Structures are given as C-alpha cells and as structure tokens.
Amino acid sequence: MNLIQLTDIKKVYHNEGIDTPVLFDINISVEVGEFIAIMGPSGSGKSTLMHILGFLDRSTDGKYFFDGIDTTTFTDNELAVIRNRRIGFVFQSFNLLPRTTVLENVALPLLYDDSVKDTKTPAENALIAVGLQHRMGYMSNQISGGQKQRVAIARALVNNPAVIFADEPTGNLDSKSGATVMHILQTLNDTGKTIILVTHDRVVAEHAKRIIFVRDGRIESDELVPTQRRAQNIVTED
C-alpha cells in the first residue's frame, strides 16, 4: 500500500523577479514499511525534495498524496497537524533544546497535541527503543554527539509516526556513532517503520533497501539494494 505518492512534482523558487527551478517532474511512490535513501550531489535538489515530502515546503506544481489523501490544497494548519502527528524528523544538527533533560526533549512533540494526556510514558518508551533509558535525566549538553542523535531519533518516534525523515543523520558523527544510529534506523524499519533518509554518503545509503539518486532536480535512478550488499557489521555504543 502506498503511503506517499508524488506525481509530476515541480519546485521553482521566486526571488526578486528571478525564477530558479529546482525540481522537475518528480514521480515517487513510497510503500508502507520501505526504507529509502535519497542521494545526490550538492545542489541536486535532494534536500528540497525531502522538505516537500515532510511538508516543510510546498511544491510549485504537481500532486502529493499522503496515505491516499491529496494534500496539495491543504492549509498550513492542516499540514502542521500531519507533521506533528504522522511524521518524525531527525536532522544532522540534532536540534535538541539546551539546558533541558533528555526526557523533556523527547516529550516535546507531544506537548503540541491536545489529545495526549501522558507525555512521560511515551517519551520513556521511545528512549528505551534507542537504548538510552539510563540517560533520561541527563541534560542534553551532558551527552555525546552519538547519544544526542539517538535522543533525536527517540523524539522522532515519540508520536508513533507513519514515516521518519532523516536528513544526513550521521553527518556530524564519528564512524562508530554513525554505525549505531544506522543500526537503530534499520531496526526500526525491520519492525515496520517507514524511513526516508537523505545522504550524500553511499555507505550510509546502503543501509536502506532502495536508493533514489537525484541530479539537477531530476530522478536519475531508482534502484533496490540487494540484501547481500546492505551495510552490515554494526557497532553499538553506550
């Protein structure tokens, strides 16, 4: 079943009378439970594509169906509800609140959902899922970079999203911490979570099951990653 369907998506930025086309006729289908990596060189449009997929930006033309619903004409408020309740984000720079505990950082998305009465239990469960239950009371500036990214993954998980978007999640990490983060994302995918990863690193991309390569605003290739080629030998950290 398709969770996401992009049809003839285009993106043009308008600035002081100058039009800058970034994406051309993008067509992508994402099924529930897929793990997709989007690759491409700097300026290829891959980050713009992820922002459109994650409802952080709008396309200039084309159709975006999310869970079978055409979201193209949704208001900003309607898109914000989807972002908060159906989508989780993991960014390269972690985006944790300083002078705030790990548990409070993870619970933050739940504070914007009036239907959630208990924010502590889901946040604790999300931290258990990434192996950081022993760091719940630590301040966010008291943990390592790898642990910060695991907290960011827990925060993305806390509202049980339909899909997690990870934008260069290993970009600020050493190889061991990066391997741990990718192992967590693989494990989440193995339990049925849909994951869309943006990266410039082929080794990181091959943790996914499918790689979409973007160049000059167009999809150049869309290929499955053979099981035997998917990254293995995962290292874990405390």
Side-chain angles (χ1 to χ4, degrees):
M1 184 180 79
N2 281 345
L3 175 64
I4 290 172
Q5 175 72 54
L6 299 187
T7 304
D8 298 329
I9 291 293
K10 300 178 179 66
K11 180 63 181 181
V12 180
Y13 287 108
H14 307 284
N15 186 24
E16 297 182 353
I18 299 175
D19 291 348
T20 305
V22 179
L23 296 176
F24 306 86
D25 301 316
I26 299 294
N27 292 277
I28 294 175
S29 296
V30 180
E31 293 186 2
V32 173
E34 282 204 88
F35 187 171
I36 295 175
I38 299 174
M39 289 193 67
S42 297
S44 63
K46 64 182 185 296
S47 291
T48 299
L49 176 57
M50 194 206 76
H51 289 163
I52 291 173
L53 286 165
F55 299 109
L56 296 172
D57 197 358
R58 292 178 181 267
S59 63
T60 305
D61 199 4
K63 296 284 188 180
Y64 183 171
F65 293 86
F66 186 87
D67 207 10
I69 299 172
D70 185 359
T71 64
T72 309
T73 60
F74 274 28
T75 66
D76 289 345
N77 285 340
E78 288 172 325
L79 294 180
V81 170
I82 295 177
R83 281 198 306 271
N84 182 249
R85 297 184 179 179
R86 306 297 309 282
I87 291 173
F89 293 100
V90 180
F91 297 102
Q92 178 176 346
S93 56
F94 318 134
N95 291 353
L96 301 184
L97 294 178
R99 298 181 299 280
T100 305
T101 68
V102 164
L103 185 66
E104 290 168 336
N105 267 282
V106 173
L108 186 62
L110 300 175
L111 301 179
Y112 299 97
D113 188 344
D114 293 336
S115 67
V116 177
K117 304 306 178 185
D118 174 17
T119 62
K120 183 179 179 181
T121 302
E124 289 176 342
N125 289 338
L127 283 165
I128 290 170
V130 300
L132 282 180
Q133 59 270 30
H134 58 304
R135 294 288 189 264
M136 289 185 187
Y138 281 55
M139 305 298 284
S140 62
N141 60 351
Q142 294 178 314
I143 57 178
S144 68
Q147 290 171 343
K148 287 178 181 178
Q149 194 60 292
R150 289 157 67 187
V151 172
I153 293 173
R155 183 182 56 195
L157 274 176
V158 74
N159 58 356
N160 190 28
V163 56
I164 292 177
F165 291 96
D167 189 2
E168 299 282 5
T170 64
N172 286 340
L173 304 179
D174 59 69
S175 57
K176 181 179 178 181
S177 298
T180 299
V181 164
M182 293 312 302
H183 174 56
I184 290 171
L185 292 177
Q186 279 185 319
T187 300
L188 291 172
N189 177 248
D190 289 341
T191 62
K193 192 64 68 180
T194 305
I195 297 175
I196 299 177
L197 164 77
V198 171
T199 183
H200 68 280
D201 188 330
R202 184 79 190 191
V203 173
V204 170
E206 289 190 351
H207 286 79
K209 296 175 180 176
R210 176 180 164 200
I211 298 175
I212 296 173
F213 195 89
V214 179
R215 187 185 299 277
D216 298 329
R218 301 180 189 275
I219 294 179
E220 185 173 84
S221 63
D222 186 342
E223 63 184 44
L224 297 177
V225 180
T227 302
Q228 65 271 21
R229 211 175 78 205
R230 291 189 71 202
Q232 303 294 327
N233 302 319
I234 304 300
V235 192
T236 59
E237 65 168 355
D238 294 331

